[in-house]
Amino acid sequence: MQFGIFTVGDVTADPTTGRVPSEHERIKAMLAIAQKAEEVGLDVFATGEHHNPPFVPSSPTTMLGHIAARTEHLILSTSTTLITTNDPVKIAEDFAMLQHVADGRVDLMMGRGNTGPVYPWFGKDIRDGIDLAVENYALLRRLWDEDAVTWKGKFRTPLQSFTSTPRPLDGVAPFVWHGSIRSPEIAEQAAYYGDGFFHNNIFWPASHTEQMVNLYRQRYAHYGHGTPEQAIVGLGGQVFMRRNSQDAVREFRPYFDNAPVYGHGPSLEEFTSQTPLTVGSPQQVIERTLSFRDYAGDYQRQLFLMDHAGLPLKTVLEQLDLLGEEVVPVLRKEFANLRAPGVPDAPTHTARVAAAAAQDTANDSKQETQETQETQA
């Protein structure tokens, strides 16, 4: 199972000091957080994509390319790539290039985003959101899988024998997760292609997450990719830790109360009781995270949001120390012990290249057998 962190890259005032970091400071902090994630033994760093204040990560591949040069093992991902407003041709090229730069340590998460005004900024209509996600991703798959693509659709100009460059590393495209909080159409899309499904698992109760994940698992099996238990699932989550739970609650409360997404709404206590947000000791985080398996089943990737709402960099790095030293080692062991037989590992580039090679060998053997039988006949 893979463990990591994701960032939304918000530039938010620290409510305890009133200080607002500059965009430059926030970007540099995100780079430092990614390097710290590798240092403490995490598997994944993922960044969102936003094109509006108060967020800064408008160019995820630029950031991830820089991080690739400063890390050796970390899988570099997006926690949202806007499949609706980005050109599929540019996505195909950017992430294939990042694959080569990072020696395969790359995947990405498709999403529609949650900011309505972004659509007209890129010449799109929000009313076409689902249709854009479906059409654009279908084209993206062809651009990665085929050397010359001839295509015509509704939302962009046609292509005639177009070759996307560079080609995917080792002939294997980056693994794709489809991220959604509330859209069953996206769970269906992930299942249709046999891709991963990532449920953010931050704002909604367990019953909703269970419903979305189960839909994806059932449709994954329906399309013939394997059993429901073999579907590739990822979950988000948000935690804040101190060794003493009372200290964690006291310290995090002003950040929660003023957070740009959920601040000035339900109380911290209400929110932690109704959603997966966990504020407390490392042991409480372990117990709460293990409980995700009760309603999501065995899953492959767990990402935590840890740098939201104006938390200073020093505090975030302390959180990562706790996560890497006290939480993730226990979670790795416990999830491994609980995992049912036949549940696949989290996808990696190396494993997918090996699987593709094995499939090619099997296909060659089948063809040779057929040719032999035809000759004998």
Side-chain angles (χ1 to χ4, degrees):
M1 185 167 173
Q2 295 170 344
F3 295 91
I5 56 173
F6 72 101
T7 179
V8 296
D10 60 308
V11 180
T12 304
D14 184 330
T16 67
T17 65
R19 186 179 183 279
V20 181
S22 68
E23 290 182 329
H24 180 72
E25 288 175 318
R26 186 66 174 100
I27 292 168
K28 288 292 188 178
M30 292 166 69
L31 300 177
I33 289 166
Q35 288 185 253
K36 183 70 170 181
E38 172 150 295
E39 291 172 12
V40 301
L42 301 184
D43 304 304
V44 183
F45 173 84
T47 175
E49 177 188 347
H50 296 278
H51 299 275
N52 56 292
F55 305 99
V56 293
S58 59
S59 182
T61 52
T62 302
M63 172 173 285
L64 295 177
H66 177 86
I67 296 170
R70 293 175 174 266
T71 57
E72 296 181 2
H73 307 292
L74 202 62
I75 295 172
L76 309 173
S77 184
T78 55
S79 50
T80 305
T81 292
L82 298 177
I83 188 63
T84 48
T85 52
N86 280 307
D87 185 350
V89 172
K90 196 68 172 76
I91 295 176
E93 294 178 338
D94 282 351
F95 282 89
M97 176 66 77
L98 184 58
Q99 263 194 319
H100 287 272
V101 169
D103 295 323
R105 295 183 289 125
V106 173
D107 57 36
L108 68 162
M109 188 187 305
M110 298 299 175
R112 291 185 295 126
N114 59 8
T115 306
V118 73
Y119 284 81
W121 296 341
F122 290 89
K124 307 298 181 184
D125 188 329
I126 192 172
R127 293 170 294 185
D128 296 324
I130 293 291
D131 292 339
L132 279 162
V134 172
E135 180 177 297
N136 284 351
Y137 185 62
L139 173 56
L140 176 61
R141 287 289 296 244
R142 290 190 59 189
L143 291 166
W144 276 333
D145 294 343
E146 302 173 25
D147 289 336
V149 175
T150 297
W151 177 91
K152 184 178 181 180
K154 178 180 178 182
F155 297 109
R156 75 173 317 280
T157 52
L159 298 173
Q160 184 67 41
S161 299
F162 176 78
T163 300
S164 172
T165 60
R167 304 304 298 145
L169 179 64
D170 300 318
V172 175
F175 184 78
V176 172
W177 302 83
H178 297 258
S180 179
I181 297 176
R182 61 189 177 274
S183 301
E185 296 92 341
I186 301 305
E188 178 79 14
Q189 185 181 43
Y192 176 80
Y193 287 101
D195 295 335
F197 178 67
F198 189 92
H199 193 279
N200 201 341
N201 199 34
I202 288 180
F203 304 114
W204 291 76
S207 58
H208 175 78
T209 301
E210 180 178 22
Q211 185 178 25
M212 290 290 287
V213 170
N214 283 345
L215 170 64
Y216 160 67
R217 289 188 184 279
Q218 292 162 9
R219 300 303 289 172
Y220 181 95
H222 169 80
Y223 288 115
H225 301 298
T227 67
E229 294 76 19
Q230 291 173 321
I232 306 299
V233 174
L235 297 180
Q238 184 177 3
V239 299
F240 185 86
M241 294 175 285
R242 290 302 184 196
R243 288 190 167 82
N244 182 291
S245 60
Q246 290 83 3
D247 291 339
V249 171
R250 184 182 65 253
E251 185 175 347
F252 188 65
R253 188 181 299 281
Y255 296 96
F256 175 88
D257 289 344
N258 293 278
V261 176
Y262 46 57
H264 311 287
S267 69
L268 176 58
E269 287 74 17
E270 290 171 329
F271 207 82
T272 52
S273 69
Q274 297 171 14
T275 77
L277 171 64
T278 308
V279 181
S281 67
Q283 184 59 37
Q284 287 174 305
V285 171
I286 290 169
E287 293 172 0
R288 189 73 177 279
T289 305
L290 287 172
S291 75
F292 296 170
R293 183 179 178 274
D294 295 340
Y295 55 86
D298 289 310
Y299 61 109
Q300 284 74 23
R301 175 175 287 185
Q302 174 66 57
L303 301 184
F304 296 102
L305 177 62
M306 305 193 78
D307 68 334
H308 181 48
L311 287 165
L313 177 60
K314 177 177 179 295
T315 300
V316 176
L317 298 181
E318 292 168 350
Q319 294 290 301
L320 288 172
D321 279 329
L322 289 171
L323 189 68
E325 295 170 7
E326 300 190 25
V327 175
V328 165
V330 178
L331 290 176
R332 285 193 198 280
K333 181 179 179 181
E334 293 298 322
F335 274 118
N337 289 338
L338 293 167
R339 191 167 73 168
V343 173
D345 292 330
T348 64
H349 181 74
T350 300
R352 297 180 73 233
V353 169
Q359 185 62 54
D360 288 343
T361 299
N363 291 340
D364 290 343
S365 177
K366 182 178 180 180
Q367 184 175 354
E368 290 175 2
T369 299
Q370 289 176 339
E371 291 174 351
T372 300
Q373 292 172 342
E374 290 172 358
T375 300
Q376 293 174 344

